[in-house]
Amino acid sequence: MDLYDTIIHELEKAPGVTLFIHKSPDGDALGSALALSMALESQAKDTFIYCWDEVPYFYRFLPQWERITKVRREGDVSFYPISVGIDSSDLGRLPFLWKRPPGLVINIDHHPTNARWGDLNLVEPQASATGEIIFRLLERWGLPLTLDMATCLYTAIFTDTGGYRFANTTALSLLYGSRLVKMGVSPYHVATHVYESYSPGRMHLLGLTLSTLVLSCEGRLAWVVVTRAMMGETDTGPEDTEEFVNFPKSIKGVEVALLFRETDSGVKVSLRSKGRVDVAVIASSLGGGGHKAAAGCDLSCSTVEAVERVVPLVEGALACSTCSTDS
Ligand code: 5GP
Ligand code: MN
């Protein structure tokens, strides 16, 4: 009996399951949680899905997205005997868990920096997305996938691989995508909603953001900054900056790209690498985490201070002799 069987055995016994997804939810967290929730409901189990933030507007095509409840106060959360954290590497990603949930806590994730914070930790860093792990779990359980569940799982894998572009794209993630499409998922439908349904304000914000571009390390490091004033001016929210870090990354010769986004309490830093530098190590050293090629952290300081703190760390990792001298 392996971990998959153990988790299935536990889920089968439970009358209901509480699901948690990380703050600033992405397509993987949302799609994985919704697919698992629908599977559990098909087995006559009640589920709650909780998140710190609202579902970004361009993910509101996901079947049953309205069932995801935004939680800001302790009393807002109801617990079933089993809680499952999804795509969440540490408890800092689940700020509404002021205390440990009662009952069994299961942690399903694919981040190498996962803190193994559950009683059962199904953590597979080689998986392209948590959606891949959920797919395997449901398959092992022998539950038939509905088109809605398949759409959620396809969105999870498709978005976490950047539309099957990033370094985590594998034969298996493509095979799962193919199998989900065979079940009826429309790749065009998903791609249109995820990547072609933005607000005009987002485009204006992108313009302002790109005008902040700075390069250093002989063009091997690039970063951009998003301030709250810029978001106010363009009537946009934090979700509108998703994917922005891929623009500095798309410059030829850039090995690491950074996005500094001003938040209510400080700065959210997104780090991306084309492979030579492990940005999860840098993000972890700053209290965050993630993957080798995509990581992030929250800093309690100004954007200027955040740039001054993070840029030298990346320059050190790039071991660049002309750091900070060019722009
Ligand atoms: P993003 O930059 O798109 O927000 O996140 C990139 C990756 O880093 C994702 O896999 C995300 O889960 C992880 N990540 C982002 N911010 C944090 C953070 O503050 N803490 C941890 N542990 N991981 C983060
Ligand atoms: Mn993920």
Side-chain angles (χ1 to χ4, degrees), residues 214-220 223 315 320 322-327:
V214 179
L215 286 136
S216 81
C217 269
E218 295 161 318
R220 294 194 292 144
W223 69 87
E315 289 175 337
C320 179
T322 55
C323 297
S324 303
T325 55
D326 46 359
S327 63

Coordinates of all heavy atoms in Angstrom, one line a residue, residues 214-220 223 315 320 322-327:
V214 N 15.0 47.1 -16.3 CA 16.4 47.4 -16.0 C 17.1 46.1 -16.3 O 16.6 45.0 -16.0 CB 16.6 47.8 -14.6 CG1 18.1 48.0 -14.3 CG2 15.9 49.0 -14.2
L215 N 18.3 46.2 -16.9 CA 19.1 45.0 -17.2 C 20.4 45.2 -16.5 O 20.9 46.3 -16.3 CB 19.4 44.9 -18.7 CG 18.2 44.4 -19.5 CD1 18.0 45.1 -20.8 CD2 18.4 42.9 -19.8
S216 N 21.0 44.1 -16.0 CA 22.4 44.2 -15.4 C 23.1 42.9 -15.8 O 22.5 42.0 -16.5 CB 22.3 44.4 -13.9 OG 22.1 43.2 -13.2
C217 N 24.3 42.7 -15.2 CA 25.1 41.5 -15.5 C 25.2 41.3 -17.0 O 25.0 40.1 -17.4 CB 24.4 40.3 -14.8 SG 24.9 40.0 -13.2
E218 N 25.6 42.3 -17.7 CA 25.8 42.1 -19.2 C 24.5 41.5 -19.8 O 24.7 40.7 -20.7 CB 27.0 41.3 -19.5 CG 28.3 42.0 -19.0 CD 29.5 41.0 -18.9 OE1 29.3 39.9 -18.4 OE2 30.6 41.4 -19.3
G219 N 23.4 41.9 -19.4 CA 22.1 41.5 -20.0 C 21.7 40.1 -19.6 O 20.8 39.6 -20.2
R220 N 22.3 39.6 -18.5 CA 21.9 38.2 -18.1 C 20.8 38.3 -17.0 O 20.2 37.3 -16.6 CB 23.1 37.4 -17.6 CG 24.0 37.1 -18.8 CD 25.0 36.1 -18.5 NE 26.0 36.6 -17.5 CZ 26.5 35.8 -16.5 NH1 26.1 34.5 -16.4 NH2 27.3 36.3 -15.7
W223 N 14.9 43.0 -14.7 CA 13.8 43.1 -13.8 C 12.8 44.3 -14.1 O 13.2 45.2 -14.8 CB 14.2 43.2 -12.3 CG 14.9 44.4 -11.9 CD1 14.3 45.6 -11.4 CD2 16.3 44.7 -11.9 NE1 15.3 46.5 -11.1 CE2 16.5 46.0 -11.4 CE3 17.5 43.9 -12.2 CZ2 17.8 46.5 -11.2 CZ3 18.7 44.5 -12.1 CH2 18.9 45.8 -11.6
E315 N 22.8 38.4 -8.7 CA 24.1 38.7 -9.4 C 25.1 37.8 -8.8 O 26.0 37.3 -9.6 CB 24.4 40.2 -9.2 CG 23.5 41.1 -10.0 CD 23.8 42.6 -9.7 OE1 24.4 42.9 -8.7 OE2 23.5 43.4 -10.6
C320 N 28.6 37.2 -11.7 CA 28.9 38.2 -12.8 C 29.9 39.2 -12.3 O 29.8 39.8 -11.3 CB 27.6 38.9 -13.1 SG 27.8 40.1 -14.4
T322 N 30.7 42.1 -13.8 CA 30.4 43.5 -14.0 C 29.0 43.9 -13.4 O 28.3 44.8 -14.0 CB 30.3 43.8 -15.5 OG1 29.4 42.9 -16.2 CG2 31.7 43.6 -16.2
C323 N 28.6 43.2 -12.3 CA 27.3 43.4 -11.8 C 27.1 44.9 -11.4 O 27.9 45.6 -11.0 CB 27.2 42.7 -10.5 SG 27.3 40.9 -10.8
S324 N 25.8 45.3 -11.7 CA 25.4 46.6 -11.3 C 26.1 47.8 -12.0 O 25.9 48.9 -11.6 CB 25.5 46.8 -9.8 OG 24.8 45.8 -9.1
T325 N 26.9 47.5 -12.9 CA 27.6 48.6 -13.6 C 26.9 49.0 -14.9 O 27.1 50.1 -15.4 CB 29.1 48.2 -13.9 OG1 29.0 47.0 -14.7 CG2 29.9 48.0 -12.7
D326 N 26.2 48.1 -15.5 CA 25.4 48.5 -16.7 C 24.0 48.5 -16.4 O 23.5 48.1 -15.4 CB 25.7 47.5 -17.8 CG 25.6 46.0 -17.3 OD1 25.3 45.8 -16.1 OD2 25.8 45.1 -18.2
S327 N 23.2 49.2 -17.3 CA 21.8 49.2 -17.1 C 21.0 49.0 -18.4 O 21.6 49.0 -19.5 CB 21.4 50.6 -16.5 OG 21.7 51.6 -17.4

